[in-house]
Structures are given as C-alpha cells and as structure tokens.
C-alpha cells in the first residue's frame, strides 16, 4: 500500500505532462491487437493512466475498465472521456492497486502495457499482479503484458548516470538514473529545463526479463501463448528491445485458440 501511495504521488507529477510526453507513440497497432483479443467482450487495463491506448481501443468497440494508482491521471482520463464522440464504447477508471484487486468480474482480456508492470517495485507484487489478472480472466481469456526487454549492460551499478534526451536553444531535457542490480531496480528522474522553468518527472521500476515473467505467469496458472517484438507481430529475437506477451490459462492449453495468429489479424469490428 505504501508503494501505491508513492506511485500515486509520482504519477501525479506526470499527469499534466503525460499526454505530451507520449504524443509520438502511436497507439493504433496496440488497440487493433487488443480489440482482436477482447472479441465481443470488455477489457481491463492495469495502470490505465490517461487512457492513451484505452480510447483508441474503445473506438474499436471494446469497453475498457481501468485501474490506476493516481487520481490525477484518472482526472485527465475523465477529461478525455468528456470529449469522446457519442456512440463510442465507454472508458472508465477507478483508483486501485494492480498488485491486488478483486473486481468480481471476468474479462476476455486483461492487459498491462508500456512497462507498467515494472512500476510494482517488489517481485512479490509483480507475481501478485499476475495472480490477480489470472483470477479476472474468462475461461478463454488472455493476459497481455507489453514491456521493455531490460538492457542494463550500459548501466553501472549504484552509480548515477545521465542521458541527454533533447537539446535546443531554448530547452534541455535529460534523464538521470541509479541502478540497483541486486533488486533489479532503476530509479530515474526525467528533467526538463526551459523558458517556463523546470520540471522533475520521477520513475522507479523493478525490471524483469521475459523468462522471469513467464515464471510469474506459471505461478499464476498461466502459460505463454505467444510473444512478439511489437504490436505489429514482428518476431521476438535476441535483439528485440520490447515484447508483447500473450498469456492464457494453463488449462486452456489443449483447447483450440481463437486468437492465436500473429499481429493484428482483425475481425471486422465496427468502430462508431
Ligand atoms: C507509464 S503509465 C502507463 C499509462 C497507460 N497504460 C499507457 O500505456 O499510456 C503508468 C501508469 O500506471 C499507474 N500505476 C503505477 N503504479 C500502479 C499500481 N500499483 N496500480 C495501478 N496503477 C499504477 C500510474 O499511476 C500511471 O498512470
């Protein structure tokens, strides 16, 4: 719970800037794949944020319910909701901890994207997130995890490092990191200085390699159904920097999969 309050405070700092910071990330391929996996049902997003992917997914006709630690992020989402054209599926969110939740509902799709799983900074909480997600899956449901593949070879242990992100005549932005390889924790500050002053956007993440995530899935009674390098279905290889991992119930292993193709092999689903 302490971690939840800390994350809420951190993401409260991000809330006014999050949409601007992610404006170059096109959510359409993610929304198409997720819509395909949700079928005619609703989806549950863990750490829904401002609804960056939830709104495009709702445009495909999938109602999305989300949990988030930060009321300020949810407030932004609700502002977007007010601007949604009539006829689109709803996006709703409430405060909740993705490590432990009990919504009393089953979903064909539960997903956690953009490395949001790593915001749970204890391994135990990440396992608990897999367990909570598994408990909310319909019998043929899928749990989708999209995350970065950790690349820590350039990060010195326990030493501070900085990377310049953007530099112009008017502004400078950089990231500062401290890496703790024992606990697989990276603490970061994104700093931006410009004519309006400066801002600090903090992040603390516990990274995990895909193999560790697969083990967490096993502990939750799930198995890896497929893994791609991106939302377009590119093969996952040793040089992939990201992964989109689709898990289903272990007991569903022998049953034919309805959504086992790679990439956005979409049924025609009308978006209004
Ligand atoms: C990187 S943002 C991702 C937002 C959205 N999923 C997206 O793809 O744009 C991470 C979000 O996770 C939320 N978060 C962090 N810890 C959480 C927790 N324990 N439970 C629920 N949400 C959490 C943050 O408040 C933030 O809105």
């Amino acid at each position: 719970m302490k971690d939840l309050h800390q994350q809420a405070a951190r993401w409260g700092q991000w809330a006014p800037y999050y949409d601007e910071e992610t404006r170059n990330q096109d959510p359409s391929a993610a929304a198409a794949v997720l819509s395909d996996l949700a079928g005619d049902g609703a989806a549950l997003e863990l750490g829904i944020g401002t609804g960056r992917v939830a709104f495009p997914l709702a445009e495909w006709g999938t109602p999305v319910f989300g949990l988030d630690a930060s009321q300020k992020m949810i407030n932004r989402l609700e502002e977007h909701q007010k601007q949604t054209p009539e006829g689109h599926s709803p996006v709703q969110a409430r405060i909740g901890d993705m490590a432990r939740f009990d919504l009393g509902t089953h979903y064909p799709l539960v997903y956690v994207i953009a490395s949001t799983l790593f915001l749970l900074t204890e391994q135990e909480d990440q396992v608990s997130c897999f367990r909570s997600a598994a408990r909310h899956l319909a019998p043929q449901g899928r749990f989708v995890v999209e995350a970065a593949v950790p690349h820590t070879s350039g990060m010195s242990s326990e030493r501070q490092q900085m990377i310049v992100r953007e530099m112009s005549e008017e502004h400078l932005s950089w990231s500062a990191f401290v890496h703790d390889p024992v606990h697989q924790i990276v603490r970061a500050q994104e700093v931006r200085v410009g004519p309006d002053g400066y801002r600090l956007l903090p992040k603390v993440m516990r990274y995990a390699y895909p193999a560790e995530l697969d083990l967490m899935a096993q502990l939750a009674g799930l198995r890896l159904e497929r893994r791609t390098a991106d939302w377009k279905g590119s093969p996952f290889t040793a040089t992939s920097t990201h992964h989109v991992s689709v898990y289903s119930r272990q007991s569903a292993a022998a049953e034919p999969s309805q959504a086992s193709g790679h990439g956005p092999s979409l049924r025609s689903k009308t978006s209004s």
Side-chain angles (χ1 to χ4, degrees):
M1 199 49 98
K2 186 170 158 238
D3 197 36
L4 187 71
H5 293 315
Q6 287 172 336
Q7 289 292 4
R10 278 177 205 127
W11 288 91
Q13 282 177 252
W14 276 87
Y17 308 107
Y18 187 75
D19 293 332
E20 180 198 326
E21 291 284 328
T22 55
R23 69 184 182 281
N24 294 330
Q25 297 171 23
D26 180 359
S28 54
V33 173
L34 295 170
S35 158
D36 199 28
L37 290 168
D40 296 327
L44 171 64
E45 178 168 359
L46 309 180
I48 191 169
T50 61
R52 184 183 64 86
V53 171
F55 284 105
L57 178 53
E59 282 179 37
W60 280 92
T62 301
V64 184
F65 182 70
L67 290 180
D68 203 279
S70 161
Q71 186 59 51
K72 289 187 177 160
M73 291 292 272
I74 293 178
N75 291 347
R76 301 292 291 200
L77 177 145
E78 287 171 352
E79 281 164 29
H80 296 316
Q81 180 72 298
K82 284 184 204 145
Q83 291 153 18
T84 305
E86 247 179 72
H88 280 203
S89 287
V91 175
Q92 287 170 342
R94 72 162 215 219
I95 291 286
D97 186 356
M98 64 182 162
R100 287 168 195 82
F101 54 94
D102 184 1
L103 304 173
T105 312
H106 292 105
Y107 294 87
L109 174 67
V110 181
Y111 65 96
V112 58
I113 56 178
S115 299
T116 296
L117 180 73
F118 298 168
L119 298 176
L120 296 172
T121 56
E122 302 276 340
Q123 186 189 52
E124 186 189 339
D125 286 344
Q126 293 180 352
V127 172
S128 177
C129 179
F130 269 86
R131 290 200 163 114
S132 298
R135 274 199 303 276
H136 287 75
L137 287 185
Q140 296 292 328
R142 306 293 196 293
F143 179 41
V144 175
V145 179
E146 184 228 348
V149 177
H151 283 288
T152 57
S153 54
M155 287 191 191
S156 316
S157 304
E158 291 298 359
R159 288 209 18 229
Q160 296 169 15
Q161 287 180 298
M162 289 205 271
I163 297 174
V164 173
R165 299 243 173 241
E166 278 178 44
M167 192 165 70
S168 75
E169 300 286 320
E170 284 90 35
H171 82 268
L172 171 63
S173 65
W174 70 93
S175 299
F177 303 92
V178 181
H179 177 215
D180 168 2
V182 174
H183 299 99
Q184 297 180 192
I185 300 255
V186 175
R187 293 174 193 281
Q189 275 281 10
E190 314 259 322
V191 189
R192 188 183 166 102
V193 181
D196 322 334
Y198 71 92
R199 69 188 191 215
L200 295 174
L201 300 178
K203 242 188 217 177
V204 180
M205 304 186 105
R206 179 192 182 272
Y207 60 82
Y209 290 90
E212 186 184 353
L213 299 181
D214 295 349
L215 196 58
M216 291 183 193
Q218 265 192 54
L219 293 173
L222 301 175
R223 63 171 184 116
L224 181 69
E225 190 175 290
R226 67 174 193 254
R227 170 168 289 135
T228 54
D230 54 35
W231 293 106
K232 294 183 178 140
S234 308
F236 182 76
T237 68
T239 56
S240 298
T241 57
H242 286 79
H243 64 98
V244 178
S245 300
V246 180
Y247 297 97
S248 53
R249 288 174 186 274
Q250 281 169 5
S251 54
E255 297 168 24
S257 158
Q258 290 178 342
S260 56
H262 289 257
S265 60
L266 297 171
R267 289 163 297 96
S268 55
K269 198 168 174 183
T270 32
S271 85
S272 38

